[in-house]
Amino acid sequence: MSPVRTRRRRSLLAGALLAASFLAPAPVAAAPADAAGGAVTDYAITVDPGAAGPEIADTMYGVFFEDINRAADGGLYAELVQNRSFEYSTADNRSYTPLTAWTVDGSAKTVDDGGRLNARNRTYLALDGGSSVTNAGYNTGIAVEEGKAYDFSVWARAGAGATLTVTLGDAGGELARARRVTARGGWAKYTARLTAARTGTGGRLTVAADRPAALDMVSLIPRDTYKGHGLREDLARRIAALRPGFVRFPGGCLVNTGSMEGYDEASGWQRTRAYQWKDTVGPVEQRATNANFWGYNQSYGLGYYEYFQFAEDVGAMPLPVVPALVTGCGQNRAVDDDALLERHIQDTLDLVEFANGPVTSEWGAKRARMGHPRPFGLTHLAVGNEENLPNEFFARFERFRAALAARYPDLTVVSNSGPDDSGPTFDTAWRLNREADVDMVDEHYYNSPQWFLQNNDRYDTYDRNGPKVFLGEYASQGNTFKNALSEAAFMTGLERNADVVKLASYAPLLANEDYVQWRPDLIWFNNRASWNSANYEVQKLFMRNTGDRVVPSSATATPSVSGPITGAVGLSTWATSAAYDDVEVTGADGTRLLADDFSGDASRWTHTGGGSWSVRDGQYVQGDETAENTMVSAGDPAWHDYDLHVKATKKAGKEGFLVAFGVKDTGNYYWWNLGGWNNTQSAVEQAVDGGKLTLVSRAGSIETGRAYDIDIEVRGRQVTLYLDGQEWGRFTDDKPAEPFRQVVTRDARTGDLIVKVVNAQAADARTTVDLGGAQVGPKAAVTTLAAAPDAVNTETDTAVAPVTSTFSGVAGRFTYTFPAHSVTFLRIAER
């Protein structure tokens, strides 16, 4: 995922896709009219049960685990001690020190010298006699549950011998009876078990020494973890409940950012590295530490071995991602070091051996020593993630692929198409992938609910004989039910095209509510609880009711009338200072609607965003080069069919400038973003109820101090854009956002037809379902998700949850009313 690409979108999540009050699920009965007396739209679904649609693989839907939002340390990895090995550094976060999350009572200092535990554990704590250190854990503290056991361990060195007293308490007193261990001699591991006398969420772990001692790897882990494998029980169970077909790991931006060097003396113990699998296996005290791209430290306690084991525990296919030596996520640099490239290729070959090799092989033996002599059965591996330099990426990808094919010819090697759903990088990457006949291409996109409702047919025209698609990261821009509905509508298109789209995973998976770098997320948690988002409930419904084959079906569309693009005009900036002049809006008939050369004041402009606007020397200037989305607007929201002219000059900052049209309000408009994405490309984006989608884009940058003439011609729903008198691009915004979508699949195991219907509108959908002569039983098992469009699940309120029922009116042709704002699955038994 790319923070540069999505930061603007994430800031615009407010608003509703479709405004409506709460509507409970409609009665599951044939109905000639809406039982509640509200609006009803009539539809028809026709099923062709004799036709064979594409097969759907068991692995169709999976999950993507990336250590973002503290998904690993402080999350799925069950370790309760934060900064357990005193390795936190300003390389991870400018606010960090080796004692972050620790407090000292008495005298102690962190030491980086030859007396360390091992070369990869660079820093340890020297604790004076009569002193203690206390760890604050994550969130509000260390959470424990009455009667549960917790395993304490520490590596210690105490030449003259020292008694270490271990206590766990909170503001209310003791949480567990104190334990003592005696440390003597060189570095050794000492353990104790603490049993919680009561439940608490603000615990603090203290280690005190009666004599001087060196400490490292201070740990407290619940005795009860998921299947005994060191992962937090409630989070692992929520993931397992999805029944994922695969687990993609470890990234994301962790894979293709930072140095590609190792954590060793040759690199100067480089702390900002790409995720490299060999750093993450073996005894935890010997694993490397690293600066996490998302602004904190990652201990690698949850490493590749734990990942493979977790995928096995939840019955999922592992799908690891390795660096291609082209950085992304705003870094965009191709590493030009052939020896380093060859080392990474060899590391990738070794990874496959670690997963699949016999115990007689070097890396298979390593796996066996860690406790898993059986191979993990790796079948898919991805090289690279969202590279913005497609030619440089693909040249390196081909070398990885050739080496893997030579040794492991049955392995599916996955390429990618960059960080967006369209544009020059996407087009170039797909051309290279098609020409080389790669196995599978990983696509990523984070778009508005409107985009997902408009693009159900995205894969209808993909080449059936070309590379298959792995939709490795996707989400609409929020965790409300309207977001989940739009994703559900899109997923019906994924299933309909299951011969092209072979794998798909929502992203990201986990978010600790107190350490959030990215929204939205599938599962939310803190140190005491976890809860499913509305999006999770949609994913779970599809993942547990996929079926084996698509049964062709069709549905009538929602009646709609598209008028012309209407709206006022606007000016804005993003992390840039800019000046505007000579604004003129002229109707298609030549009528002047607005003219402002800023020779006076700016009274005709309404400021709805941030920043600092003022009239200076006959220009309208936004002077704050750090402010984002500084929109000012002028004119009538009813304007249509007009020409907009403006002169714009970038004065300073990271990006260019934005000129808006079709402005209805703060969440609904179009803007031409010139010099966006760190001044690397320009695009027209449409905001719909706060969410944004890209309509057309081109690479290019904006020069500081140069005045640009910008002209935008709006005619009906067609828009033509001119930069300095030359046509830059054009588009027609006439794609309907269809709120009623369906797909039908057959479950060979149960003999069911599964009719899946999404109704993402404020009206009930009274629908005639024609099963095309299929012989079926009279009843259907029904699962419904229905809620207000802005409903959000929280720790204390589950507004979006499945409701199950039975519908007894099934026949060869029957009527069913699908509630407003709902996802409904009907399981109908075939005879």
Side-chain angles (χ1 to χ4, degrees):
M1 56 187 58
S2 168
V4 173
R5 169 168 50 89
T6 58
R7 71 193 190 289
R8 184 169 295 119
R9 298 172 181 170
R10 293 201 306 273
S11 68
L12 295 165
L13 299 180
L17 174 64
L18 295 165
S21 60
F22 174 77
L23 289 170
V28 283
D34 175 34
V40 179
T41 303
D42 288 320
Y43 293 90
I45 295 174
T46 303
V47 183
D48 185 358
E55 292 184 0
I56 307 176
D58 292 340
T59 53
M60 173 73 175
Y61 296 120
V63 295
F64 165 42
F65 181 90
E66 179 177 10
D67 189 358
I68 185 174
N69 310 313
R70 283 210 176 274
D73 296 334
L76 185 60
Y77 183 42
E79 175 63 67
L80 299 174
V81 176
Q82 184 179 174
N83 190 18
R84 67 181 176 189
S85 60
F86 309 100
E87 297 293 331
Y88 276 26
S89 162
T90 54
D92 312 321
N93 188 297
R94 283 182 295 179
S95 68
Y96 281 0
T97 74
L99 283 173
T100 293
W102 294 94
T103 55
V104 175
D105 184 6
S107 179
K109 63 179 180 179
T110 55
V111 182
D112 178 0
D113 67 11
R116 61 179 65 88
L117 176 60
N118 59 63
R120 289 189 154 199
N121 226 303
R122 307 292 295 170
T123 307
Y124 62 94
L125 184 76
L127 184 65
D128 286 350
S131 300
S132 65
V133 286
T134 299
N135 191 265
Y138 298 93
N139 301 95
T140 58
I142 294 172
V144 295
E145 187 176 343
E146 181 179 356
K148 294 291 182 71
Y150 298 84
D151 290 333
F152 168 83
S153 65
V154 62
W155 283 78
R157 186 188 70 208
T163 298
L164 305 179
T165 302
V166 184
T167 57
L168 182 64
D170 62 10
E174 186 178 79
L175 283 169
R177 184 169 61 87
R179 302 300 301 270
R180 290 176 175 81
V181 297
T182 300
R184 183 179 299 277
W187 286 108
K189 184 178 181 180
Y190 301 92
T191 62
R193 183 170 298 173
L194 282 68
T195 301
R198 57 186 175 85
T199 296
T201 61
R204 300 292 188 269
L205 180 75
T206 298
V207 181
D210 65 345
R211 295 185 181 182
L215 307 180
D216 209 341
M217 296 294 292
V218 183
S219 173
L220 187 69
I221 293 182
R223 186 72 176 168
D224 295 332
T225 61
Y226 186 66
K227 298 195 174 183
H229 290 153
L231 302 184
R232 180 170 150 172
E233 184 89 21
D234 63 326
L235 293 180
R237 287 194 179 278
R238 289 189 188 278
I239 299 168
L242 293 168
R243 298 180 187 167
F246 64 88
V247 182
R248 178 175 178 249
F249 175 94
C253 288
L254 302 190
V255 167
N256 68 338
T257 55
S259 168
M260 300 294 164
E261 300 286 347
Y263 191 54
D264 50 35
E265 188 173 3
S267 73
W269 304 103
Q270 173 62 249
R271 282 292 299 269
T272 54
R273 308 180 314 284
Y275 199 108
Q276 299 174 51
W277 80 271
K278 288 181 180 178
D279 287 343
T280 77
V281 296
V284 291
E285 70 273 7
Q286 295 176 18
R287 297 182 188 181
T289 189
N290 201 8
N292 182 293
F293 175 81
W294 299 107
Y296 52 91
N297 177 271
Q298 53 195 116
S299 72
Y300 290 144
L302 196 172
Y304 256 91
Y305 177 78
E306 291 76 17
Y307 156 61
F308 281 130
Q309 193 170 60
F310 179 61
E312 181 178 80
D313 285 345
V314 300
M317 174 183 82
L319 205 167
V321 187
V322 299
L325 274 71
V326 177
T327 59
C329 300
Q331 297 181 0
N332 301 332
R333 184 175 64 90
V335 178
D336 189 16
D337 184 331
D338 198 65
L340 188 58
L341 176 62
E342 285 297 326
R343 192 268 283 177
H344 276 267
I345 291 171
Q346 184 60 52
D347 283 353
T348 303
L349 294 170
D350 292 343
L351 174 60
V352 182
E353 183 176 286
F354 179 77
N356 293 350
V359 296
T360 54
S361 66
E362 177 185 358
W363 290 100
K366 180 92 166 181
R367 181 194 68 241
R369 287 195 298 272
M370 294 186 73
H372 200 285
R374 292 190 328 276
F376 283 113
L378 178 66
T379 60
H380 290 63
L381 183 145
V383 177
N385 170 76
E386 291 190 5
E387 281 74 21
N388 250 321
L389 304 173
N391 292 296
E392 292 85 343
F393 159 74
F394 204 77
R396 290 157 179 78
F397 170 82
E398 284 281 62
R399 290 179 63 176
F400 277 88
R401 185 170 71 146
L404 288 163
R407 187 174 300 181
Y408 303 106
D410 295 330
L411 186 74
T412 298
V413 182
V414 183
S415 180
N416 75 81
S417 60
D420 280 303
D421 60 85
S422 59
T425 296
F426 179 89
D427 292 341
T428 300
W430 258 106
R431 176 180 58 79
L432 293 167
N433 286 313
R434 281 193 300 269
E435 291 172 354
D437 193 26
V438 304
D439 296 326
M440 187 174 288
V441 178
D442 187 4
E443 292 189 356
H444 295 177
Y445 36 82
Y446 296 86
N447 288 322
S448 69
Q450 176 91 349
W451 186 93
F452 283 96
L453 292 176
Q454 288 178 324
N455 284 276
N456 177 274
D457 63 350
R458 175 179 176 87
Y459 296 106
D460 289 2
T461 57
Y462 272 50
D463 182 0
R464 283 19 227 177
N465 298 312
K468 303 308 178 185
V469 172
F470 169 27
L471 180 49
E473 297 184 29
Y474 75 98
S476 69
Q477 294 153 349
N479 277 144
T480 67
F481 189 52
K482 70 172 177 287
N483 297 101
L485 281 173
S486 71
E487 292 155 4
F490 189 74
M491 291 171 79
T492 66
L494 299 182
E495 291 192 4
R496 189 177 65 253
N497 290 284
D499 55 332
V500 169
V501 183
K502 292 298 185 181
L503 307 169
S505 52
Y506 180 102
L509 178 61
L510 294 171
N512 186 319
E513 67 172 352
D514 293 331
Y515 308 94
V516 179
Q517 294 86 43
W518 187 281
R519 299 173 187 269
D521 303 286
L522 204 62
I523 299 169
W524 288 80
F525 66 94
N526 51 38
N527 64 339
R528 62 188 176 273
S530 58
W531 56 98
N532 303 331
S533 67
N535 318 67
Y536 174 99
E537 296 298 346
V538 161
Q539 293 290 323
K540 182 178 178 181
L541 190 57
F542 275 85
M543 292 166 84
R544 297 183 69 150
N545 296 276
T546 307
D548 305 285
R549 184 180 289 276
V550 174
V551 179
S553 64
S554 60
T556 53
T558 304
S560 63
V561 177
S562 292
I565 292 173
T566 61
V569 299
L571 310 170
S572 190
T573 60
W574 199 285
T576 304
S577 172
Y580 297 90
D581 201 359
D582 298 335
V583 178
E584 186 171 359
V585 182
T586 307
D589 60 359
T591 303
R592 178 174 287 180
L593 303 175
L594 172 70
D596 201 336
D597 62 3
F598 303 107
S599 57
D601 58 25
S603 57
R604 283 177 283 189
W605 297 83
T606 301
H607 186 190
T608 57
S612 176
W613 288 89
S614 61
V615 175
R616 302 182 205 167
D617 300 323
Q619 294 181 314
Y620 201 18
V621 179
Q622 196 294 110
D624 184 347
E625 62 185 86
T626 64
E628 299 178 345
N629 193 16
T630 65
M631 178 84 81
V632 293
S633 61
D636 188 340
W639 281 352
H640 62 87
D641 296 292
Y642 57 77
D643 297 328
L644 166 62
H645 171 80
V646 61
K647 191 179 291 291
T649 306
K650 172 182 176 177
K651 298 178 73 66
K654 296 179 180 178
E655 304 209 350
F657 31 74
L658 303 111
V659 179
F661 56 98
V663 179
K664 292 182 173 62
D665 52 47
T666 56
N668 294 275
Y669 54 86
Y670 303 79
W671 67 19
W672 188 3
N673 182 353
L674 288 145
W677 295 268
N678 275 345
N679 205 16
T680 61
Q681 71 181 77
S682 299
V684 177
E685 298 176 284
Q686 181 186 11
V688 179
D689 295 324
K692 297 177 74 178
L693 62 151
T694 300
L695 301 178
V696 59
S697 66
R698 288 176 54 183
S701 59
I702 292 298
E703 299 175 24
T704 301
R706 174 183 166 188
Y708 290 84
D709 282 308
I710 296 166
D711 291 277
I712 301 172
E713 179 186 274
V714 181
R715 295 292 184 271
R717 302 202 67 80
Q718 181 172 301
V719 177
T720 308
L721 306 112
Y722 300 89
L723 187 62
D724 287 337
Q726 301 296 313
E727 183 175 324
W728 178 89
R730 64 174 63 207
F731 67 92
T732 302
D733 180 22
D734 60 356
K735 197 168 190 178
E738 173 60 64
F740 186 84
R741 297 290 188 184
Q742 100 297 332
V743 70
V744 180
T745 63
R746 179 176 278 117
D747 188 333
R749 182 181 60 84
T750 63
D752 290 342
L753 285 177
I754 312 173
V755 180
K756 312 174 188 184
V757 177
V758 180
N759 182 24
Q761 61 185 325
D764 289 356
R766 181 175 53 202
T767 306
T768 300
V769 181
D770 186 340
L771 295 178
Q775 299 300 304
V776 296
K779 295 183 179 181
V782 184
T783 305
T784 305
L785 292 170
D790 288 327
V792 177
N793 287 348
T794 67
E795 180 182 356
T796 57
D797 181 23
T798 305
V800 181
V803 175
T804 58
S805 58
T806 301
F807 173 56
S808 299
V810 176
R813 191 171 187 270
F814 65 95
T815 299
Y816 190 93
T817 298
F818 296 97
H821 306 302
S822 69
V823 184
T824 306
F825 280 26
L826 305 174
R827 274 188 168 266
I828 302 170
E830 286 190 282
R831 289 175 172 170

